[in-house]
Amino acid sequence: MKTNLVIVEGLSEREKSMTAAMIAEELKKKGKAVICVDNGVQNHSSDNTDYGFSDFEAEWKKVLKRWRSFVTKADKDTIYVLCCNCFWNALCEVKKQFDEDVEESKVYIAEIAEIIKPLKPILIYTDKANVKAAKGNMFDYEDSMQSLVERRVRELQILRELEFDYYTISQDICVEEFAQLCISAGWNTPSIEQMQTAIENSTQSFVIRHKGRAIAMIHWLGDYGMHWFMKEFVVHKDYQGKMIGTLLYRYSENFIKSTMKPGWKACIDLRSAQGKEPFYQKIGFQLLTEQESGSGMEKMIERTVE
């Protein structure tokens, strides 16, 4: 990632925190100097913690001043990973108190976007189409599902319309995206009906989009107890070597861990494409030999046309 600033946003507090921490850890493994700051930290380097605005315009100037100071003081050799700093306070708190519409909110976020531009920021949005699942530990004023629905729509609309370099991680891959990514990997694709059936019957599917374009996907079968099997895992060739695959896998792994009870262990199995074994070894998989575990086996079956 050629950036000095990664901002993680979305509806779920837990997912944002976990994703920000995971990104910071992976960057550190690559030898990068990283500072990761979670949401709600006092004396944050780039954000206010008190948004009890009585005079919005006056307070907003303070917000922008704080961002300018952050950019000015930022170390050019450090990557800052910030959880929840563009939308949550700057947009949601403002809407709560002043009931700003989308266009007014967009103006405020655009001001922040312009200030942080020298850091070549990347915004990663953990998208939850199912807002009920994303709700988690929200504040009282966001306790209605409709409020979260509106917030998600507003945030994604602003992302699309502003000059952010942004990625979304979500669980709503469509069959056309599935087919396009399979083609990009050089795989033979079955019929649309068969791929749709595969999506609908996967235990979980995750997709990363870059500015709305699907660039990576991963599908899982799991019993939510002891075993998970990784099915299709594809990163578009234009995005390989940019931490996208690692991000998608780690995000999936965090999801699996979130389903486990304390003390549980679960096994993840996969079949690597030829030559991709080093990637899986880097993210923690062990290469099993025939002597250790027996041979991996498969059988393709086909129903003939009657």
Side-chain angles (χ1 to χ4, degrees):
M1 291 184 174
K2 295 181 180 179
T3 179
N4 287 103
L5 178 60
V6 178
I7 298 175
V8 181
E9 284 285 0
L11 297 184
S12 169
E13 292 294 305
R14 183 174 181 276
E15 281 193 7
K16 285 183 290 192
S17 294
M18 291 180 65
T19 303
M22 175 265 290
I23 291 171
E25 185 62 28
E26 292 300 326
L27 288 169
K28 289 176 182 177
K29 289 177 183 178
K30 292 181 176 293
K32 305 293 185 181
V34 181
I35 294 177
C36 183
V37 185
D38 202 356
N39 180 53
V41 173
Q42 295 293 322
N43 299 318
H44 195 290
S45 58
S46 66
D47 196 15
N48 288 349
T49 55
D50 181 10
Y51 277 74
F53 294 169
S54 57
D55 179 346
F56 174 71
E57 293 301 329
E59 294 295 333
W60 187 249
K61 290 178 181 178
K62 295 180 183 179
V63 173
L64 299 182
K65 181 179 179 180
R66 199 168 178 86
W67 276 104
R68 291 189 184 98
S69 176
F70 167 69
V71 173
T72 300
K73 296 176 181 178
D75 178 12
K76 64 180 179 63
D77 295 320
T78 299
I79 299 176
Y80 298 86
V81 181
L82 307 182
C83 179
C84 191
N85 288 94
C86 268
F87 291 133
W88 176 255
N89 286 333
L91 191 156
C92 294
E93 292 281 355
V94 171
K95 183 181 187 303
K96 168 197 171 185
Q97 193 158 343
F98 298 95
D99 198 28
E100 303 287 357
D101 64 21
V102 174
E103 289 304 311
E104 289 170 314
S105 297
K106 187 168 66 175
V107 170
Y108 304 139
I109 306 303
E111 290 182 283
I112 295 177
E114 185 63 28
I115 290 170
I116 63 179
K117 188 180 291 186
L119 300 181
K120 299 179 181 178
I122 293 174
L123 194 146
I124 296 174
Y125 192 92
T126 59
D127 184 23
K128 284 283 192 180
N130 179 0
V131 296
K132 185 175 182 180
K135 181 175 179 294
N137 183 27
M138 291 291 181
F139 294 107
D140 290 342
Y141 68 86
E142 287 192 326
D143 205 29
S144 74
M145 291 300 104
Q146 186 58 36
S147 174
L148 289 178
V149 170
E150 292 173 0
R151 177 182 156 192
R152 173 179 177 267
V153 170
R154 173 181 287 221
E155 292 180 349
L156 290 173
Q157 179 180 338
I158 290 174
L159 269 181
R160 288 191 295 268
E161 294 180 4
L162 294 182
E163 293 184 4
F164 274 114
D165 186 14
Y166 74 94
Y167 296 79
T168 58
I169 311 175
S170 60
Q171 297 169 298
D172 60 348
I173 189 168
C174 69
V175 69
E176 290 80 13
E177 292 172 327
F178 189 0
Q180 289 166 6
L181 285 169
C182 286
I183 291 170
S184 78
W187 297 354
N188 293 324
T189 57
S191 69
I192 292 295
E193 181 184 8
Q194 190 171 2
M195 286 189 288
Q196 182 64 46
T197 301
I199 292 174
E200 292 173 355
N201 290 284
S202 294
T203 308
Q204 286 292 332
S205 297
F206 299 94
V207 57
I208 293 183
R209 298 183 179 95
H210 182 217
K211 295 184 175 181
R213 175 195 180 195
I215 61 169
M217 67 177 182
I218 188 169
H219 303 282
W220 294 90
L221 291 176
D223 58 18
Y224 287 97
M226 297 171 59
H227 287 93
W228 288 81
F229 178 75
M230 184 192 299
K231 302 200 300 158
E232 299 84 11
F233 184 15
V234 180
V235 178
H236 193 283
K237 60 183 179 61
D238 294 343
Y239 290 84
Q240 293 178 9
K242 298 181 179 181
M243 259 184 67
I244 299 300
T246 301
L247 173 62
L248 184 55
Y249 172 75
R250 294 294 187 203
Y251 187 87
S252 297
E253 186 180 89
N254 283 339
F255 167 81
I256 293 172
K257 287 179 179 178
S258 75
T259 70
M260 298 165 61
K261 293 183 179 181
W264 282 17
K265 292 183 178 180
C267 180
I268 295 177
D269 294 312
L270 63 84
R271 189 181 71 175
S272 172
Q274 192 170 19
K276 298 298 183 179
E277 293 87 353
F279 167 77
Y280 291 108
Q281 288 175 300
K282 285 181 181 178
I283 57 176
F285 285 87
Q286 293 181 328
L287 189 64
L288 300 177
T289 66
E290 186 175 343
Q291 290 73 27
E292 292 173 320
S293 62
S295 300
M297 304 179 75
E298 72 172 4
K299 178 182 180 180
M300 294 293 291
I301 64 172
E302 179 181 5
R303 179 176 175 177
T304 57
V305 178
E306 296 177 354

